[in-house]
Amino acid sequence: MAKDKDGTVVFSLSGKWVSWAHTVVAYSAFLGALVVGMKLHFRKIVQNEHYGYPDEWFPSVSATIGDRYPERSVFQLLIAVTSGPRFALVLLWYLLTARPNSFLPKFLLFTGLSRTFLCGGWVYITSTDDHQWHDIFMISYLVFTLPWTLGCLALSPMNAQAIKYRKILASAFFGTLVPLIYFFIQHKVHKVPGAYTIYAFFEWSLILFDVGFDAVTALDYAGLEFRVVDVKGVSKGQSGILADSVAEKAKNDKNLKQLVSGKFTWSDLLDSAADIYTGFMFWTVLTSLGVTVWYFPLWHMGISGYEALVMTSIAPYILGIGPLRRFLANHLRLTYLLSLTGLVAFYFPKPTHRLFVTGGGVWFSCLALATAFFAERNNPARLDARISGFSLGLIASSVAKFACYSNNPVWPIMNVENGGWNKTGLVLGILAVLRSTRKATHAQDLSDAKVKKGSSFPISLGLAGMFFGLHSLLSDSSTMITWVWDGYPITGPLAAPHGAYTLLAMGLGFLIGSFRESLGRNWAVYGLGCTGAAILHNNHGWFGYYGALILATYMMSIMPVFIRTAIQYGPATTFGNAFLIYNLLVLAHVWTVAYAFVPGGPLLRERTDLVMTVTMLLIGAGVYSANTFANGGKGKAPASAVISPFQRRVKSYFVYLLTALEMFAIAVAYMRFPTFDYKPYNKEHKVVTAGIWTVHFGIDNNMWSSERRMRDLFKEMEVDIVGLLESDLQRIIMGNRDITQFLAEDLGMYADFGPGPNKHTWGAALLSKFPIVNSTHHLLPSPVGELAPAILATLDVYDELVDVLVFHSGQEEDVEDRRLQSEGIAKLMSNSPRPLILLSYLVTKPLQGNYNTYVSEQSRMKDIDPSDWDRWCEYILYRGIKRVGYARVSRSTITDTELQVGKFVIGGDKESSNTIIPEEQVPEGLRFPAMFNGEGVRGHRYHVFNQPRYFA
C-alpha cells in the first residue's frame, strides 16, 4: 500500500480535539451523575453501611454512578460517547511513539485498549449486578493504569510543558492512593464517622487526575491532523497530504533508554521468565526444607536426629574438587534437573521419604546456584540474567505465598486437596530448566588460576547474612507485618492488603541493585539498612513497618554486588562457608524460642535482638569485601561497570516481568481486602459457639498443611469464636506461614495474632465472627520454661461487650512457671469487669492444683463442665453469661489434640446450672450439629461422652 496518495482533502481536524473531546465528555459523565444524584437522591447516596447524613455528606464515586435512575443512565450514556475519542486517543499515542523493533509502544497500545474495555466492564456491570465481576474489572483497570502511566511518561515526546503536567498529575494520582487507603481503613475497620466522606473526596480526585493525565495529550496531538482525502475525485475540496508519522526525540536518561529502546523478542522474554522461575524453584525448595524438618522434632518433642538435613545446603563445598566442578559447570542442565527433586517430594506419602527427597532437592539446588554463578562470571549478560532471576525468583515466591495465604502452592506439604499446584509447578520447572540451560555455558577456565587471591571469608559472611535476612524476613510478605502487629484497635499494617507494600519495597530494592549497583557497597546506605532493622525490631505499628520497608529495600539491593564479589573467589569455600554460617543463623533463630528443648538453649533465650545484630554485622562484612574488590588491583573498576547494549536489553526484560509480578501482587491485595462485615451463625438466638484447639503449627499427622481441614470442621461446627494455640509459624523452620490468614478470610472472621514472632512464643491466635473492639497481648511469667502467650480481647457480641482470653500455659515439667502463670491469668480475669470466656491450655487435672487458681473466688470463673474429669490440657471457663452446651470433638489426623467447644447465650438469664439435660429439651437453635453423632465424618465425632452435653 502506498504511503502517500494525492487527492482532495474533504475534511481535516487537529488531533488535539480528540483529547479535548475525551476530556470534556469523560468529566461530563462523572460530574453529570454527581449533580443529578446530589439533586435527587442526596441522603441515599451519602448513606453507607455505618453512617448517613449528617455524619457523611458527600457521596463516593461508586454510590454516585451505581444503581439509581437517572444518574446511572446519565453516566453510562456519556461513558459510551467517551469510548470513541478514547479509542482514537490510544491509537494516536501509538502512531506518535511507535518506531521499528520497539516493544513499549505496542505494549502501551495493548494496555490502553485493555483499560478501555475494562472500564466498560465495571461501568456496565455494577456491584449489584455481579459483585465479583465488577471487582475483577475494577481492579484490572487500576492495575493497568500503572504501566499506562509509566509508559506514557517514558515515551513522552520532547515537550517540556506536557512532560511537566504528566509528572504532576501522575504524582498526584499515585500520591492520592495513600490517604485514600488510610481513610477507607478508618471507615471500614475503625468505623470512624465522616471518614467515608473524606475517602470520597480522594476517590473523586483519582478520577480528576486520571482523566487529566490523558488530557495532556492535547499538547502533543496539536501537531497531528486527521484528514479525509478523496483519492478518486468523488467530492470537492482542497488537496492535501496526510502525514504518516511524527518525528521522535530520545531521552537523556540512559537507564530509561535501555528500557524502551532496542529490539524486542519474545524468545528473550521467555529466557528471562525461565531464569526467574529457576530462581523461584530455588527459593521454593530452600524454604520447604525447614517445614519438613520441623515435623519430626514436633512429634518427638525434642531433637529427633532428622535436623541434620538442614546441612544439605552446604553442598557447594564439593566444588573444591576440580574435575567435579568443571563437569557440573559444563552440565548445568543436569544439575538443575536434579534440583527438581525438591518439587517431586509431594509424590511420596510417607513423611520421612518426603523429607529426604526435599533434602536432596536442597543439596542440588545450592550446588546448581553456586556452580551457575561461578560458571557465568566471564559472561556479563548471562551473569546479570542469573542474578536477576535469583532475585526476582524470591519476589515470585513471596507473591505466590501472598496469593495462597502464606503457603507456597508447590511445597511438599501441599497437594491437590489442600490447595497445592504441585504438578503444574513441576512441569513449569522442567520447561524452565530446559529453556534457561539450552545455551551451553562456556566455562573457558574453571580452575583456580584466575580466581581472586586473598580471603573469601568476609564475602562469605556477607552472603550468609544476606541469605538469612532474605529467608527469615522476606520469604513471606506478612512476616515483618506480624512483627509489628499489636492487636486492636488496628494501628499498623494488615497481612492483606499491606503485604503488597512489602513486595513493592522488594521490587524497588531490585531496581536499585540492578541500575545503581554501587549503592550496595555504600556505607551510608548500609547504615540506613541497619537503621531500618533497628526500627523494625524496637517498634510496633506503622512506624515499625516503615523500618521493615527500608530493610526490605536494602536487603534486595545488595544481592547483585554481593554475588558479583563472591564469584571472584573459589565457589567451594565462598558459597560453602556462606551456607554453613547461614545454617548456624537459622539454628540460632530457632533457638531463641525453642530454648527449652535444645542443648545450650538458655544462651539464646529470647535473643532475637542478638540474631538481628549479628545478621547486620555479617552483611557489613560483605559490604567491606565488596568495597575491597571494587577498589582493588591497580584502581581498575570491576567489569560490571561497563554495561553493553545487550546487557541493557536483558535488564529491560526483567523490569517488564517485575512489573507483571507487582501488578499481580496489587491485584491479589485488592481481592483479599477484608470486608469486615462478618455474621455469626445463630444470630436469631443470640448464641455464641466458642472453641479452643491446639493446632500443631498447621501440619497434620501425615505432614500435610491442615488449614483447609480445620476450616471444614470450624464451619460445620458453626464456631463463632475460636482460640488457636501453637499457631506462630513465622520462622524459617515453620515455613514463615500464617494459618490465620486463610481461616479468617475463608470463614469470614476477625483475626488477632500475638504476641508476635519476635516475642519468642509458640503462638496464640483468636478468630471471631464478632468485631474485636480492643485486644492486648501478654507474656506470662516463665523463669525456666517456654514463654506463655495470652490474648485478652473485648468483643462486641450482639451489642454487649464480652471479654475472651486465649492462653497457653507452660510445660508439665516447669511446675513453678505454671504456678506463676496461673496467678497471672487469674489476675487478668479478676481485673476484667465484663462477662468473660477463657479458651485455654492449662496443663492441670480438674479440681486439683492450679485448677483452683483459675477457678476461684478471685477470678470469679466457672468450669464449663466440672464433672468432666478426663482433661489435662484444654479447658473452657466462663462467667457472666449463660452456658447451654459443651462438646468434645475428636481430632481425626489434623493434630494431636481434640477440639473443645462451648455454647453460650447472650442476654437474658445469665445463671447456669450444672444439671445435664437431654438434647430433646434443648431448642434446635441451641444444639450442636448432628452430623458428628455416632461415627461422625472424616474422623471427627463427639467423643469422651459420645455426644454433646447440654445444661439447664
Side-chain angles (χ1 to χ4, degrees), residues 16 22 232 260 268 281 304 311 352 465 476 483 637 700 771:
K16 68 180 181 181
H22 174 266
K232 291 188 176 181
V260 301
D268 288 342
M281 290 189 300
S304 65
M311 289 297 172
T352 50
D476 186 86
W483 275 48
D700 72 14

Side-chain angles (χ1 to χ4, degrees), residues 21-22 41 62 380 413 453 459 518 543 564 624 672 851 940:
H22 174 266
H41 304 118
S62 55
I413 63 169
K453 302 300 181 182
I459 191 59
S518 60
F543 185 65
R564 211 178 292 278
Y624 166 79
R672 288 188 57 191
Y851 173 95
H940 300 296

Side-chain angles (χ1 to χ4, degrees), residues 280-489:
F280 169 82
M281 290 189 300
F282 171 85
W283 287 107
T284 294
V285 175
L286 183 67
T287 56
S288 70
L289 179 63
V291 72
T292 51
V293 167
W294 172 241
Y295 169 88
F296 295 93
L298 184 61
W299 284 100
H300 286 80
M301 291 296 290
I303 299 296
S304 65
Y306 292 101
E307 295 81 4
L309 271 78
V310 301
M311 289 297 172
T312 51
S313 60
I314 64 173
Y317 274 132
I318 69 170
L319 295 176
I321 304 172
L324 180 61
R325 180 178 64 252
R326 287 186 287 275
F327 173 81
L328 293 175
N330 286 294
H331 297 84
L332 274 177
R333 173 172 289 181
L334 174 63
T335 314
Y336 273 112
L337 287 174
L338 289 173
S339 73
L340 292 177
T341 54
L343 302 186
V344 178
F346 80 99
Y347 275 110
F348 297 87
K350 193 172 181 180
T352 50
H353 295 168
R354 235 180 308 153
L355 170 63
F356 280 101
V357 173
T358 301
V362 172
W363 174 273
F364 287 111
S365 293
C366 294
L367 195 61
L369 182 79
T371 304
F373 284 146
F374 185 72
E376 304 287 12
R377 74 190 190 282
N378 294 319
N379 187 338
R382 282 302 300 152
L383 180 60
D384 276 347
R386 293 287 185 194
I387 294 173
S388 296
F390 178 65
S391 303
L392 291 186
L394 175 61
I395 295 179
S397 173
S398 293
V399 169
K401 293 183 69 181
F402 185 47
C404 297
Y405 308 95
S406 79
N407 275 324
N408 188 312
V410 294
W411 269 346
I413 63 169
M414 305 298 292
N415 55 45
V416 68
E417 295 179 357
N418 64 10
W421 288 69
N422 306 80
K423 293 180 181 179
T424 302
L426 179 59
V427 170
L428 291 176
I430 294 172
L431 294 176
V433 169
L434 296 178
R435 180 84 192 184
S436 66
T437 59
R438 77 186 196 283
K439 297 177 181 177
T441 299
H442 297 291
Q444 297 98 334
D445 185 0
L446 294 175
S447 69
D448 289 334
K450 292 189 177 181
V451 300
K452 184 176 176 66
K453 302 300 181 182
S455 176
S456 64
F457 197 61
I459 191 59
S460 293
L461 295 175
L463 283 178
M466 182 189 77
F467 286 145
F468 175 75
L470 295 171
H471 190 170
S472 63
L473 298 175
L474 300 184
S475 64
D476 186 86
S477 61
S478 66
T479 297
M480 293 187 294
I481 292 176
T482 60
W483 275 48
V484 301
W485 173 257
D486 204 24
Y488 288 78

Side-chain angles (χ1 to χ4, degrees), residues 295 299 417 693-696 698-706 709-710 713 889-898 937-941:
Y295 169 88
W299 284 100
E417 295 179 357
W693 206 5
T694 306
V695 295
H696 234 204
I699 297 292
D700 72 14
N701 300 2
N702 298 311
M703 206 169 81
W704 300 110
S705 178
S706 58
R709 296 179 66 192
M710 286 189 274
L713 182 57
V889 184
S890 59
R891 56 186 168 80
S892 184
T893 58
I894 293 178
T895 177
D896 62 348
T897 313
E898 67 184 4
V937 294
R938 302 187 311 278
H940 300 296
R941 63 183 181 86

